[in-house]
Amino acid sequence: MEDTAVDWRGRPCKPNKHGGMTAAVFVLGLQAFEMMAIAAVGNNLITYVFNEMHFPLSKSANTVTNFIGTVFLLSLFGGFLSDSYLGSFWTMLISGFIELSGFILLSVQAHIVQLRPAQCNMMEVSSSCEEAKGYKAGIFYGALYLVALGSGCLKPNIISHGADQFRNNNDLKQSKKLSTFFNCAYFAFCTGELVALTILVWVQTHSGMDVGFGVSTAAMAMGLMCLISGSFIYRNQPPRGTIFTPIAQVFVAAIKKRKQISPSNAGILHGSQKNMLTNVTTGNLIHTQKFRFLDKACIKTETGNEMIDESPWRLCTVSQVEQVKILLSVIPIFACTIIFNTILAQLQTFSVQQGTAMNTHLTKNFQIPPASLQSIPYMMLIFMVPLYETAFVPMARKITGKDSGISPLQRVGTGLFIATFSMVSAALIENKRRNNAIKFHKTLSIFWIAPQFLVFGLSEMFTAVGLVEFFYKQSIKANGMQSFLTAMTYSSYSFGFYLSSLLVSLVNKITSSGSSTGWLSENDLNKDRLDLFYWLLAALSLINFFNYIFWSRWYSYNPISSSLHTPPLDGVEDPQKKVISAL
């Protein structure tokens, strides 16, 4: 692919001065501090909303899942802004300050009692607590969604901007370094989460939410300082105009020529490799047999023996059509990760409330904040991720010959399978906790729910990193879509959290009757049937895994043609035979 990277002044980058791990370290610093800031807010938000805003438990859970879902959905907007208009650096800088303003507003509301409902104990059955409404709710939602807007637009650009630091055509080892960067980015993510779920959540619990939100504000400011500090050595990919116009042109042209017959010989399609000189700096996508109806967008219109000059809305190139095929091909892979993120939503909502109903004492004088349970997998992962990179990847690389050890899709599939057992563990422990509380009036130790966090943490190490690497490597670099495609990874989180809210509402509606409430209708987990809800998610997760196996086998990578060798399109060699299966 053509290297168009520029420095902060817009001049071509120098390989020995710009980019590489030195530049990526500043991006990783932003990743760690931003994750530290938002994780401290998001993972303990249900406690704040329930105890301070006085929302009912189900509404509190939905508020959290909707907030987190919005964060990740807005990542698509951030990716679009970056690729089309601003570039990743300026998108991150502007978004970072928007997120910082949201943290400041949250801190102010948490500190000033007049901006919150009057103090009230929501756990007392006889209490009638005033729910936050009017300007109080307005300030809360305004602050929350400023954070969502900033963080959502920031996240995909952190990954794509960091990965762009390794796009140096003169270095043949960049693929290995890129895989290492994705593992380092996940390590930074885990470090930020771990600090947030231990130190920052402890501060929120013992010093108040206002102090906790203030620390998140400071962490975000540190992240922005890291980003700005690396400005002089970044490799910046300039925006290339709207990324959706070429996609729209393919669909419009294919619809206009829908009555045409797709040719059996791909060589006669407009812009095919057989009929064009291949620029040594340009990657052109090889024609594939999937979605052949889109090939009609490449059919040239003839009048007699003369070709008609057609507009881009009536005639597209093969490479342009193949880019759209890649987008369509990754959608099923994207969809298969939604259930995975629905499981994640439970660990950040109901599992935290599950912990509040258990014995949180580690010693007589020390209690574990329930939200800190989410730190357990990250304690494991800060050791597992380096071990994976230094031990497993080199060993697997010798066996498979792949730079990343195993393919990104194999890594995603492994994680999806493991995630099922997180919900199985959660269901078994919740049933045990509930029976002990109702029948024997005993309270289980909070450490009983640690396994569900540990199992999911292991699954996330495979799925999250594999998915980011997969989408970045499928990015259509000719049209500068690396940020947008990376954002698809994060938008999967949003759909997972939105699905969680939908499932809670549906389950309550279906399981409620005239004489009894639904599984999740009460504010008391001893009256709810959270264990049955967990079993439902375990079943959905297992079905989703087999669905993923089908689609990952169907998916095939679309190779970029070599500028030094162009295989014939008819009679000698079929490029489709050289496509490597996903799993």
Side-chain angles (χ1 to χ4, degrees):
M1 302 302 295
E2 183 180 2
D3 188 5
T4 60
V6 296
D7 65 7
W8 66 286
R9 289 183 177 178
R11 302 171 300 187
C13 288
K14 298 178 181 179
N16 60 345
K17 183 178 179 181
H18 300 97
M21 188 55 77
T22 303
V25 164
F26 293 101
V27 183
L28 293 174
L30 172 62
Q31 167 87 330
F33 281 113
E34 193 274 339
M35 183 51 58
M36 190 186 305
I38 196 167
V41 172
N43 289 324
N44 205 26
L45 185 61
I46 189 169
T47 303
Y48 178 73
V49 174
F50 184 72
N51 291 331
E52 302 296 334
M53 295 291 109
H54 302 159
F55 291 171
L57 180 58
S58 60
K59 184 177 179 179
S60 298
N62 284 346
T63 297
V64 175
T65 53
N66 289 340
F67 161 68
I68 298 176
T70 301
V71 168
F72 293 119
L73 185 62
L74 284 170
S75 65
L76 290 173
F77 179 63
F80 169 75
L81 276 181
S82 172
D83 289 335
S84 300
Y85 302 110
L86 298 178
S88 55
F89 175 78
W90 285 106
T91 304
M92 285 192 294
L93 191 63
I94 295 170
S95 302
F97 278 104
I98 292 174
E99 185 175 0
L100 182 64
S101 67
F103 284 128
I104 292 172
L105 191 54
L106 273 178
S107 303
V108 170
Q109 184 180 38
H111 183 71
I112 301 175
V113 294
Q114 290 84 357
L115 300 180
R116 292 178 283 114
Q119 278 293 117
C120 179
N121 188 352
M122 287 285 287
M123 299 302 293
E124 291 183 1
V125 179
S126 59
S127 64
S128 179
C129 299
E130 175 194 1
E131 183 178 331
K133 294 180 181 179
Y135 74 93
K136 295 177 182 178
I139 293 173
F140 170 70
Y141 283 119
L144 202 61
Y145 284 96
L146 276 174
V147 172
L149 176 61
S151 182
C153 292
L154 190 68
K155 288 185 183 300
N157 289 291
I158 292 176
I159 297 299
S160 63
H161 188 65
D164 285 344
Q165 306 311 307
F166 301 92
R167 283 177 59 184
N168 182 355
N169 293 331
N170 297 321
D171 191 345
L172 299 177
K173 297 181 180 180
Q174 291 307 311
S175 181
K176 292 181 181 179
K177 293 181 179 179
L178 187 62
S179 179
T180 298
F181 167 75
F182 287 126
N183 285 323
C184 288
Y186 189 63
F187 180 79
F189 167 86
C190 292
T191 302
E193 281 273 15
L194 182 59
V195 174
L197 294 170
T198 51
I199 299 174
L200 269 64
V201 168
W202 186 89
V203 169
Q204 290 172 354
T205 304
H206 292 83
S207 300
M209 295 298 293
D210 55 342
V211 177
F213 289 157
V215 175
S216 290
T217 304
M220 188 66 226
M222 289 291 293
L224 287 172
M225 290 174 61
C226 285
L227 175 66
I228 296 170
S229 297
S231 301
F232 297 129
I233 60 173
Y234 289 143
R235 293 169 52 86
N236 300 300
Q237 294 295 330
R240 305 188 184 185
T242 178
I243 60 178
F244 293 128
T245 299
I247 298 172
Q249 287 172 342
V250 171
F251 285 107
V252 171
I255 292 171
K256 287 182 177 179
K257 295 182 178 180
R258 62 188 179 277
K259 295 183 180 179
Q260 297 275 8
I261 298 175
S262 297
S264 57
N265 179 11
I268 68 174
L269 296 175
H270 177 59
S272 67
Q273 293 180 330
K274 185 175 181 180
N275 295 330
M276 67 181 291
L277 293 175
T278 306
N279 189 304
V280 295
T281 61
T282 303
N284 296 293
L285 296 172
I286 296 173
H287 176 263
T288 58
Q289 298 300 318
K290 288 182 179 179
F291 306 112
R292 291 196 63 192
F293 66 92
L294 293 176
D295 291 342
K296 295 179 181 182
C298 303
I299 299 176
K300 305 167 191 175
T301 303
E302 298 183 17
T303 301
N305 294 325
E306 296 183 359
M307 294 290 182
I308 299 177
D309 289 334
E310 299 180 82
S311 75
W313 292 94
R314 289 190 60 87
L315 183 64
C316 304
T317 65
V318 169
S319 187
Q320 189 177 345
V321 169
E322 291 302 318
Q323 291 165 357
V324 177
K325 289 182 180 181
I326 288 178
L327 283 177
L328 293 177
S329 296
V330 301
I331 289 175
I333 303 297
F334 158 81
C336 288
T337 61
I338 293 175
I339 291 292
F340 173 84
N341 291 304
T342 300
I343 293 175
L344 174 61
Q346 312 319 311
L347 299 181
Q348 294 188 359
T349 53
F350 287 117
S351 291
V352 175
Q353 286 302 112
Q354 202 177 353
T356 62
M358 305 178 81
N359 182 6
T360 60
H361 283 87
L362 184 62
T363 65
K364 290 183 178 180
N365 300 319
F366 183 78
Q367 288 182 284
I368 300 173
S372 290
L373 282 173
Q374 298 168 80
S375 67
I376 293 175
Y378 298 108
M379 292 178 184
M380 173 189 68
L381 288 172
I382 60 172
F383 297 104
M384 288 291 294
V385 174
L387 187 65
Y388 180 91
E389 173 64 27
T390 58
F392 176 78
V393 171
M395 180 180 64
R397 189 179 291 152
K398 292 179 181 179
I399 300 172
T400 64
K402 299 180 186 296
D403 291 329
S404 55
I406 58 176
S407 73
L409 288 182
Q410 287 173 329
R411 190 166 179 172
V412 172
T414 302
L416 293 182
F417 179 70
I418 296 173
T420 301
F421 297 98
S422 173
M423 287 295 95
V424 170
S425 172
L428 291 173
I429 298 305
E430 172 58 16
N431 181 263
K432 181 180 180 66
R433 184 208 64 78
R434 187 173 181 272
N435 286 338
N436 272 269
I438 295 174
K439 295 180 180 179
F440 307 109
H441 303 289
K442 293 182 179 179
T443 304
L444 290 182
S445 169
I446 196 170
F447 287 106
W448 276 92
I449 61 175
Q452 64 206 55
F453 289 96
L454 284 171
V455 174
F456 188 83
L458 184 63
S459 71
E460 190 179 37
M461 183 185 73
F462 285 95
T463 299
V465 181
L467 199 62
V468 169
E469 185 175 358
F470 169 73
F471 275 109
Y472 185 83
K473 288 184 175 180
Q474 301 310 304
S475 64
I476 308 167
K477 298 176 183 177
N479 277 344
M481 292 185 68
Q482 56 268 32
S483 293
F484 183 77
L485 281 177
T486 305
M488 289 186 69
T489 303
Y490 293 100
S491 63
S492 168
Y493 285 84
S494 74
F495 286 107
F497 278 78
Y498 286 139
L499 179 60
S500 174
S501 297
L502 179 63
L503 276 176
V504 169
S505 299
L506 283 176
V507 164
N508 279 338
K509 185 174 182 179
I510 293 172
T511 58
S512 61
S513 62
S515 58
S516 62
T517 57
W519 287 356
L520 305 170
S521 297
E522 301 288 342
N523 288 337
D524 186 354
L525 287 181
N526 292 336
K527 297 178 181 178
D528 287 336
R529 293 308 307 266
L530 183 59
D531 56 331
L532 299 182
F533 183 63
Y534 282 152
W535 279 118
L536 173 64
L537 287 172
L540 291 175
S541 179
L542 187 60
I543 294 170
N544 179 66
F545 170 71
F546 289 110
N547 182 47
Y548 173 81
I549 292 295
F550 171 81
W551 288 111
S552 60
R553 289 186 179 275
W554 170 85
Y555 181 85
S556 62
Y557 293 100
N558 191 8
I560 296 177
S561 64
S562 170
S563 59
L564 302 176
H565 171 66
T566 302
L569 286 178
D570 53 3
V572 179
E573 185 178 356
D574 181 8
Q576 193 71 11
K577 293 180 181 178
K578 301 183 74 175
V579 175
I580 302 173
S581 62
L583 281 176

